[in-house]
Amino acid sequence: MTENVSNVSKEHAMNIMNVDYSTKIPNNVNLSEDRQVLKALEGWHPGYMNWWGDMGPEGFQQSLVYLRTAYSVDPRGWAKFDYVKMPDYRWGILLAPQEENRVIPFGEHFGEPAWQEVPGEHRAMLRRLIVIQGDTEPASVEQQRHLGKTAPSLYDLRNLFQVNVEEGRHLWAMVYLLQKYFGRDGREEADDLLRRRSGDADSPRMLGAFNEATPDWLSFFMFTYFTDRDGKMQLHSLAQSGFDPLSRTCRFMLTEEAHHMFVGETGISRVVQRTCEAMKAAGISDPSDVAKVRALGVVDLPTIQKKLNLHYSLSLDLFGSEVSTNAANAFNAGVKGRFHETQIKDDHRLQNSTYPVLKLVNGEIKRVDEPALTALNMRLRDDYTQDCVKGLLRWNKIISTAGYDFKLTLPNVAFHRQIGEFKDIHATPDGVLIDDATWNKRKGEWLPSTDDGDFIASLMIPVTGVGEFASWISPPKVGIDNKPGDFEYVKIET
Ligand code: BYC
């Protein structure tokens, strides 16, 4: 009997999860009965399409791309694959199902019912976080818009476009929250999200890393590995939010985000794999012999390390200052929690606890206990670093299996920072403090130089033959949607 009842309710839940495609904007939030928000979103739609036309992927807009589109938010079968022209992609509003009786899992409202509307006293803070989150999504599309022209294969080209359309959808997700819950100023913020531009001198995107260039595919893989992983951590924290619609939105975004990090992790794996194979075939025993390795038409491991140093350090900046009253206030208010908040065994209020923070003390990098509340950015950043290590283990396994004595490593958190404790000093990747002159003399050893960039650029020759791959990257182990190696992921319109 109990089982029957639960089956019925499961089925009911599944129906709710299915996406309504009858309105112009696919959704599972009953937009057809929410005329005001539907109207606001429909009003915003043309501006979005203009933005996509101006700032989305350059070229390929009439090509058929084998894309995955969400049709339900049920984790077991939420997506279907089909050929779609990117401008016809069904961007929409998808929230994870509402959890019955969900309570606020942290902060001073701990244990109170989650909010279905914006609490007045936390309105400004919530709006700010939603706007910052929203701003990163179109920014990444803008940063990646030129990459289609130099894709190393149709498989990679398709993955780039999948990432791009989903970042576009994540922008829709934040715009929905702004338009539904924040009235006129929410609508203005939604318009501004289409106005700012990555790297623009007058109207840049809000966070540092989103104004940097993504000049080549190695950067793209590093970005999707390291910067999208900041996205994962931040979305996890916002998924804990007491503001339930934000929590539900972020929970569904995380399912899409996972593919982006997969693209990064496997992309770097494939570059490393190819380099090792080429070095072996050529009988090169020293992977640091950069000139010899480059002559093979692959990216040498020291240059991969430099790219890693750059993207990891830029991504660390996205966590804000190690000690932050903003973070403490957001936690206290029940607006932004910790990674895996509900699984942490403590009082979820943190009024009396401390957390060790890396700080600069008398010219040395030291751990200092700080109130846990103000140290929340540091804690999330530590969780992030742990999460990053997994990829390094895989890449290093490839290198050691090929018989090379070379290890990719994460640079010290004091290296190349523009935000927080270490922004005013220079440190080597090993965490040794150095003066300005030494930094200026040696930074080319640790960060990609113009020469490194030119070399990588020289490899970025598009490969568009079905089942073919550029010289510097291995084919993937499995295809998308289990397609065979010779699958035409993008039918390029010429
Ligand atoms: N650049 O107390 P502080 C993603 C500002 S990625 C520029 O140190 P707080 C994605 C800060 O705004 C995830 N400014 O830090 C990935 C504040 O300014 P105001 C995006 C910065 O506030 C790939 C001042 O410095 N989501 O989804 O505790 C592809 C002092 O702030 C930066 C989120 O970030 C910076 N790096 O934490 C696509 C979640 N860092 O207010 C998508 C929402 C700090 O004094 N955002 N500042 O003018 C947040 O939770 C927080 O705003 C931050 C900063 C974690 C970003």
Side-chain angles (χ1 to χ4, degrees):
M1 178 68 191
T2 331
E3 211 192 337
N4 274 348
V5 169
S6 82
N7 277 347
V8 169
S9 61
K10 253 191 219 151
E11 212 165 283
H12 178 64
M14 296 276 285
N15 285 337
I16 299 173
M17 286 190 252
N18 283 333
V19 179
D20 176 3
Y21 273 97
S22 68
T23 48
K24 202 162 158 192
I25 300 161
N27 70 93
N28 69 346
V29 292
N30 239 343
L31 271 188
S32 51
E33 282 168 31
D34 198 348
R35 305 306 301 179
Q36 212 185 343
V37 178
L38 181 61
K39 217 172 115 214
L41 283 169
E42 284 178 348
W44 185 81
H45 192 179
Y48 173 82
M49 292 311 296
N50 287 340
W51 168 80
W52 181 266
D54 292 345
M55 297 310 294
E58 207 182 286
F60 304 96
Q61 295 292 338
Q62 292 312 309
S63 301
L64 286 167
V65 187
Y66 193 68
L67 290 177
R68 142 186 109 162
T69 304
Y71 67 97
S72 130
V73 289
D74 172 21
R76 279 165 301 166
W78 59 275
K80 76 172 196 283
F81 289 85
D82 207 350
Y83 282 109
V84 185
K85 288 183 186 167
M86 281 185 279
D88 299 337
Y89 183 81
R90 303 297 308 274
W91 284 287
I93 314 297
L94 307 171
L95 270 59
Q98 188 168 348
E99 247 175 59
E100 253 177 75
N101 305 322
R102 179 167 177 264
V103 293
I104 300 170
F106 59 89
E108 58 195 17
H109 301 284
F110 178 77
E112 294 173 21
W115 307 300
Q116 300 306 323
E117 295 294 331
V118 176
E121 76 265 38
H122 305 316
R123 190 173 189 279
M125 184 192 289
L126 262 168
R127 193 186 68 193
R128 175 179 166 271
L129 293 181
I130 292 170
V131 168
I132 293 178
Q133 180 63 50
D135 194 66
T136 61
E137 315 289 359
S140 66
V141 176
E142 292 164 3
Q143 288 170 295
Q144 295 160 15
R145 69 183 301 258
H146 304 293
L147 292 175
K149 285 185 296 193
T150 55
S153 71
L154 293 180
Y155 166 89
D156 291 290
L157 188 61
R158 176 261 167 220
N159 282 347
L160 168 71
F161 294 155
Q162 182 71 57
V163 169
N164 292 161
V165 293
E166 284 176 352
E167 300 300 9
R169 205 200 68 68
H170 293 177
L171 169 62
W172 277 85
M174 293 302 121
V175 164
Y176 167 72
L177 294 178
L178 289 170
Q179 294 192 331
K180 179 161 171 71
Y181 296 99
F182 293 87
R184 179 202 288 234
D185 44 333
R187 289 194 291 279
E188 283 168 6
E189 294 281 16
D191 292 342
D192 282 349
L193 287 169
L194 295 177
R195 193 180 47 77
R196 287 185 287 274
R197 293 281 182 274
S198 174
D200 190 286
D202 300 324
S203 189
R205 291 294 174 183
M206 298 171 87
L207 299 179
F210 292 90
N211 290 303
E212 299 283 332
T214 310
D216 54 63
W217 278 77
L218 190 51
S219 280
F220 172 64
F221 294 136
M222 292 290 174
F223 184 96
T224 43
Y225 188 78
F226 289 108
T227 307
D228 277 82
R229 192 169 306 274
D230 166 56
K232 168 185 167 180
M233 306 311 285
Q234 300 292 350
L235 289 173
H236 264 285
S237 305
L238 294 173
Q240 302 290 340
S241 183
F243 178 46
D244 207 39
L246 175 61
S247 163
R248 292 172 57 200
T249 287
C250 292
R251 272 184 271 150
F252 185 68
M253 287 162 74
L254 279 164
T255 59
E256 292 175 324
E257 200 67 34
H259 174 69
H260 306 183
M261 286 173 293
F262 162 87
V263 168
E265 183 181 325
T266 54
I268 298 168
S269 289
R270 290 162 54 215
V271 177
V272 169
Q273 175 85 38
R274 183 69 201 103
T275 299
C276 290
E277 279 167 9
M279 288 194 300
K280 255 180 121 170
I284 293 178
S285 55
D286 177 10
S288 301
D289 193 339
V290 170
K292 256 193 184 166
V293 178
R294 286 187 177 182
L296 305 173
V298 293
V299 191
D300 51 285
L301 299 180
T303 299
I304 296 175
Q305 176 69 59
K306 288 188 199 177
K307 282 276 199 188
L308 187 161
N309 290 347
L310 175 66
H311 287 270
Y312 176 68
S313 55
L314 287 172
S315 302
L316 289 181
D317 283 342
L318 293 172
F319 289 85
S321 304
E322 290 82 351
V323 177
S324 161
T325 47
N326 283 347
N329 291 340
F331 185 87
N332 258 340
V335 162
K336 184 181 172 193
R338 288 170 293 176
F339 185 54
H340 291 158
E341 180 73 46
T342 48
Q343 292 163 32
I344 300 173
K345 300 232 178 321
D346 64 12
D347 70 354
H348 300 281
R349 291 174 189 268
L350 305 182
Q351 297 291 345
N352 302 313
S353 31
T354 59
Y355 188 84
V357 172
L358 281 179
K359 294 183 97 173
L360 201 60
V361 185
N362 299 332
E364 276 183 65
I365 302 170
K366 285 206 168 128
R367 279 193 188 272
V368 179
D369 278 343
E370 286 285 335
L373 270 177
T374 49
L376 283 164
N377 287 344
M378 173 82 194
R379 180 178 178 133
L380 190 63
R381 202 186 74 193
D382 282 346
D383 290 335
Y384 167 79
T385 297
Q386 267 189 30
D387 211 54
C388 285
V389 167
K390 294 176 198 159
L392 275 100
L393 292 177
R394 293 214 176 99
W395 306 329
N396 285 331
K397 185 93 206 304
I398 296 172
I399 300 171
S400 63
T401 305
Y404 289 103
D405 182 18
F406 187 100
K407 258 199 168 96
L408 293 167
T409 53
L410 292 176
N412 189 284
V413 292
F415 172 77
H416 186 236
R417 299 299 307 282
Q418 281 148 48
I419 299 278
E421 275 295 309
F422 306 110
K423 68 178 185 333
D424 299 322
I425 54 108
H426 290 302
T428 67
D430 295 331
V432 177
L433 299 183
I434 49 174
D435 59 21
D436 287 4
T438 314
W439 169 260
N440 287 329
K441 208 166 84 204
R442 296 194 58 191
K443 67 180 176 200
E445 292 171 35
W446 306 313
L447 292 169
S449 63
T450 312
D451 277 357
D452 297 327
D454 289 346
F455 168 68
I456 296 174
S458 75
L459 297 179
M460 297 295 122
I461 296 162
V463 174
T464 52
V466 175
E468 290 175 11
F469 288 83
S471 67
W472 54 271
I473 189 164
S474 292
K477 288 207 172 75
V478 275
I480 292 295
D481 194 27
N482 279 323
K483 292 297 176 206
D486 60 354
F487 185 72
E488 192 174 7
Y489 288 101
V490 183
K491 297 187 183 196
I492 295 176
E493 178 77 6
T494 46

